[in-house]
Each structure stands twice: as structure tokens, then as C-alpha cells.
Amino acid sequence: MTQEEIRLEQDRTCQAYWRRWGPYLSERQWETVREDYSSDGTWEYFPHDHARWRAYRWGEDGIAGISDNHQRLCFAIALWNGADPILKERIFGLTGPEGNHGEDVKEYYFYLDNTPSHAYMKCLYKYPQQAFPYDELVVDNRRWGYRDPEFELLDTGIFDENRYFDVFVEYAKNSDEDILIQIKVINRGDAEKSLHLLPTLWFRNTWSWEENSQKPILKVIKSDADSVIEAAHPTLGNRWLYCKAPTELLFTEHETNYERLFEEANKSPYVKDGINEYIVHSKTAVNPDRTGTKFSAYYLLNISTGQEKVVRLRLCDAANLIQPFNSEFDNIFQTRKQEADKFYQRISPHVTATDVRNVQRQAFAGLLWTKQFYNYIVEDWLTGDPRQPKPHRKYPRNAEWMHLFNDDIISMPDK
């Protein structure tokens, strides 16, 4: 048996929970049926523009992210090129009414590798260096007809002359609860550019919906060259995020910005878009006490043309790692890559052409990255939550599915 097969057997027999952590974040939670509490069921209740302000009810989204299998604690990257109107925290796309061919993602990201235990994962996101053309994509696609081709991100000219960053995100598990994270950024353009990179750790908001829900907390344990953040959750337990040489540590609350959305008083002065406001608009919107339910390690990277910069983090269940980024870090990544090669060689021994093997390998990666946490309790969705206003629907969708109780990892085609 290969090491990957041994890990899968350990997971199956509950000796180690290798699949507790995986790529279970959706790329888009906004404008999904689960977040639609509108009266007419048009799926336009929770647009992309609201996603940075409003806490989701049923799941989370992020770029190249991971979570535990019940999506209590989440990790993903956020980016800012200095020109966008908002942080790039999630994938952008068009809803059914906006796209001339229906729903459509308008981004470029590639699932490069993954194994069934998620002991090794790699993906690539391409981030433009100019302002992301959100409005242009919506306006032009809405204007084009059904018989016309789709107006894509590439058609805007945003990638002309290679003016973009390649952002590679890799994960390697040292154990089922020790996850090494490496983010490599390459400037493909012809001039030096700055990139604001914000690896982000946050709790899915489960406390705003039910009475007497215990709220988790993130806080600083150590703040120096290798900073440590403690994540304490009532059912997941404690985890620690080690951050190598961050520029700054930023905390806010993963709470809806009621003032911005509904002109109501906020429950906390620190809300979901606090880090966005701090970075993009230079507003004092993060908690100076450095505690909350959403955290970003902020890295300001100045990258010359063709240069690469590497950021390292480590999420694990050990509170006192002495040297979290020593030579062992590189060795673990190299070992997991080699084990992935051996696993895929074993399951496809007769595929010899390099190009064919690469296509197959990336197809497997796509299937594995497409797994996501799917939470949908139809009775609760229809009747509403104790701490929220009761939904008023003219045509209650899925009313015949009152038995449906989803809280699992499933493969989702719309990821």
C-alpha cells in the first residue's frame, strides 16, 4: 500500500481523521438558494455586493480555502492589488438573470493537485494587477443575447501584457491535525507591483441564529517574527495558526454590518467588512485589542517583475511549536508531493504518456477540490431561526422536503 492508501485506511477505521480538514469552502455562497430569504424566491436576495457585509446562514466561501468537515473554522486567502474597490475575498460571477447563458463564474483559477485524504493540495488563482472589472462584466453580459458568446474576463483586456499575479496556494499535512500552508506569489507583469496578501482565519457564524449559542474566539498568543493565533471553539476545540513574519495582525468580528445594509445599529463596532475597510479605505475598523471571530495576517509584498515571494503559515492542534517553519517544513511538502505521485501511479499504472497523465491527474484534483460542506435544514430554512425575523415567502420552495437535513461533505457541481 502507498502512504496515501494507509492514510485512507486510518481514516476509515477512525485511527486518524485525515479527512476532517479539506477544501470544503464554496467559491460562492452568495446568491444561492440556501441564502435566499426573499418573499418571491428570485435568488436575488443576497448578491455579491452584500457578501462582504452580511454573515451567511448556511455556509462559507473563499479562495483556495479549507475548513473542518462541519465548517466551524475556515481558512482562505484574500488579496488587494491597490486598485480594486474591495478586497478579493471570494470568486466573482454572474447570476442567472445577469448572464446571457445563465450563471457563470468570471474568474480564472485552476485546481492543480489533490489527494483523497487531502494530505497534499495545490491550486492557482490569477489575480489582475489593475482594478477588477466588476461592472463591465455585468453590464456587457446583460447586454449580449442568448445567441451571442459570453463576455469573459479575458475579453476585458485586464490580462494584457501579463499584468497579473500568479498566486499558488499549497497545503501539506504533517498529521491529520497539522496543516502546513505555503502561498507563492509571482509577478508576471513587466513592472514592480505591490500586493496586499491576507491569509484569513475565521469562524462560520453559528451563534447569531440560535438562542444560547456559545460564541468562539480568536486571539493573539504570540506577536513577533512568528506570530501565533489561538482559535477556541466550543465543539471543535482549540487550534493554533502560526504566521511567519506578518506585517500586521488584524481582527474583527464575523458579524453582519446592519448599519451599512439596513440602517440599523450594529451589535458590535467591529463587523465582517472591518478588515476590508482598514486595508482598502484606511479606516479604523479593526479591533485594537486583537481579538474577534475573523482574523487576517497582513503581508505587504513588493514584487519585482518575474520575482516570487513566499508566505508560510501552519494550522494545527499544538500550542507550543518551537520552530514551526524549520527545515522540516520543506521536507514535509516534498514528501507529500512524492507520496501523491506514487498514489496516482499505482491507481493508473498503464497511463504512460506524460500529457495524458497530467490531464488525468488534474481531473482528479478537480473532483477532489469540488467537495464542499453542504448545510441545508429545510424545516429551519422555511420557518426561520429564533433570533431572526420570520421569513415571509409567497411561494415556499422545497416545502415538500421537510425531511431534508443536510450537514455533510458532498461533491458540488456549482463550486
Side-chain angles (χ1 to χ4, degrees):
M1 293 175 69
T2 63
Q3 285 300 313
E4 177 64 13
E5 290 170 294
I6 291 172
R7 282 190 286 268
L8 292 173
E9 179 64 15
Q10 290 174 340
D11 188 87
R12 188 185 70 81
T13 57
C14 301
Q15 298 175 61
Y17 298 96
W18 287 100
R19 290 188 287 190
R20 173 176 286 155
W21 296 91
Y24 307 142
L25 284 180
S26 172
E27 265 79 13
R28 190 199 84 184
Q29 181 68 14
W30 53 274
E31 206 84 298
T32 57
V33 65
R34 290 173 288 162
E35 303 297 339
D36 181 13
Y37 280 72
S38 66
S39 61
D40 53 5
T42 60
W43 294 24
E44 296 179 330
Y45 174 82
F46 202 136
H48 176 269
D49 200 37
H50 284 196
R52 66 184 181 277
W53 296 315
R54 186 189 296 187
Y56 298 123
R57 169 62 178 92
W58 296 101
E60 291 296 324
D61 55 20
I63 298 173
I66 62 172
S67 76
D68 68 276
N69 58 342
H70 292 285
Q71 206 160 93
R72 291 159 290 192
L73 184 61
C74 309
F75 174 90
I77 63 167
L79 306 158
W80 190 52
N81 55 19
D84 281 355
I86 59 175
L87 283 182
K88 174 65 69 172
E89 296 183 84
R90 56 190 54 82
I91 295 298
F92 175 73
L94 304 179
T95 63
E98 290 174 333
N100 61 329
H101 294 168
E103 291 180 302
D104 189 22
V105 168
K106 298 298 183 185
E107 302 265 16
Y108 296 115
Y109 54 101
F110 304 87
Y111 299 134
L112 301 180
D113 212 350
N114 208 326
T115 61
S117 70
H118 310 304
Y120 180 68
M121 301 184 284
K122 183 178 183 179
C123 69
L124 166 64
Y125 176 71
K126 292 183 176 288
Y127 185 45
Q129 295 175 354
Q130 301 177 83
F132 196 91
Y134 292 103
D135 292 339
E136 184 179 358
L137 288 166
V138 173
V139 170
D140 280 38
N141 277 279
R142 187 174 285 161
R143 189 176 67 236
W144 292 21
Y146 177 73
R147 296 183 181 276
D148 296 319
E150 296 167 6
F151 183 71
E152 303 290 6
L153 180 58
L154 200 62
D155 298 325
T156 67
I158 197 72
F159 290 104
D160 288 356
E161 301 177 12
N162 294 329
R163 294 190 297 265
Y164 64 90
F165 298 102
D166 271 339
V167 184
F168 293 91
V169 182
E170 288 182 276
Y171 300 91
K173 294 182 181 178
N174 182 40
S175 71
D176 57 339
E177 288 288 353
D178 185 6
I179 307 166
L180 283 58
I181 306 165
Q182 182 166 275
I183 305 165
K184 181 187 295 182
V185 183
I186 304 175
N187 178 2
R188 299 299 189 188
D190 58 2
E192 180 177 308
K193 289 290 182 179
S194 295
L195 177 67
H196 305 254
L197 173 64
L198 297 106
T200 301
L201 186 72
W202 74 100
F203 293 109
R204 178 165 66 96
N205 188 326
T206 56
W207 55 88
S208 291
W209 324 107
E210 298 290 341
E211 300 288 356
N212 302 317
S213 294
Q214 189 176 346
K215 191 173 179 178
I217 188 170
L218 297 165
K219 62 182 180 181
V220 175
I221 299 299
K222 179 183 176 185
S223 179
D224 55 23
D226 293 337
S227 297
V228 185
I229 309 303
E230 183 181 66
H233 191 279
T235 61
L236 181 63
N238 289 14
R239 300 296 188 279
W240 289 267
L241 180 68
Y242 294 80
C243 313
K244 186 172 180 60
T247 307
E248 198 170 354
L249 306 176
L250 306 176
F251 288 82
T252 189
E253 294 291 344
H254 191 198
E255 300 274 7
T256 296
N257 188 338
Y258 286 92
E259 183 178 316
R260 176 62 179 79
L261 283 169
F262 310 116
E263 298 183 349
E264 298 178 7
N266 283 324
K267 300 175 182 178
S268 164
Y270 310 109
V271 288
K272 184 176 180 179
D273 62 316
I275 296 171
N276 176 89
E277 292 298 297
Y278 181 81
I279 296 295
V280 179
H281 302 294
S282 301
K283 293 184 178 179
T284 307
V286 294
N287 191 342
D289 295 332
R290 299 199 296 185
T291 185
T293 46
K294 181 180 178 181
F295 158 78
S296 288
Y298 172 44
Y299 295 85
L300 177 57
L301 308 177
N302 297 310
I303 313 175
S304 302
T305 177
Q307 185 184 19
E308 67 178 44
K309 292 286 183 76
V310 176
V311 168
R312 291 174 167 177
L313 306 100
R314 191 165 183 165
L315 179 64
C316 67
D317 60 350
N320 299 300
L321 293 182
I322 304 301
Q323 292 182 305
F325 305 107
N326 59 14
S327 60
E328 177 197 38
F329 194 95
D330 289 328
N331 293 338
I332 292 168
F333 265 97
Q334 187 62 32
T335 300
R336 293 296 174 263
K337 290 177 187 178
Q338 293 171 352
E339 291 170 353
D341 291 341
K342 291 178 181 178
F343 171 74
Y344 282 113
Q345 178 63 41
R346 177 175 170 84
I347 66 173
S348 300
H350 303 299
V351 179
T352 57
T354 301
D355 286 349
V356 175
R357 182 170 290 280
N358 288 340
V359 169
Q360 184 190 62
R361 178 80 164 260
Q362 202 163 338
F364 286 138
L367 287 171
L368 292 167
W369 272 98
T370 300
K371 293 163 66 174
Q372 76 167 251
F373 172 72
Y374 194 86
N375 188 205
Y376 186 35
I377 304 168
V378 171
E379 182 175 3
D380 291 353
W381 182 76
L382 288 170
T383 59
D385 298 299
R387 297 181 63 183
Q388 298 295 318
K390 183 177 177 62
H392 297 284
R393 297 185 174 94
K394 296 177 183 177
Y395 311 103
R397 184 189 290 116
N398 302 333
E400 69 278 12
W401 288 7
M402 295 293 280
H403 61 284
L404 191 65
F405 190 112
N406 280 102
D407 184 351
D408 207 349
I409 304 298
I410 63 176
S411 185
M412 286 293 294
D414 64 354
K415 184 172 180 180

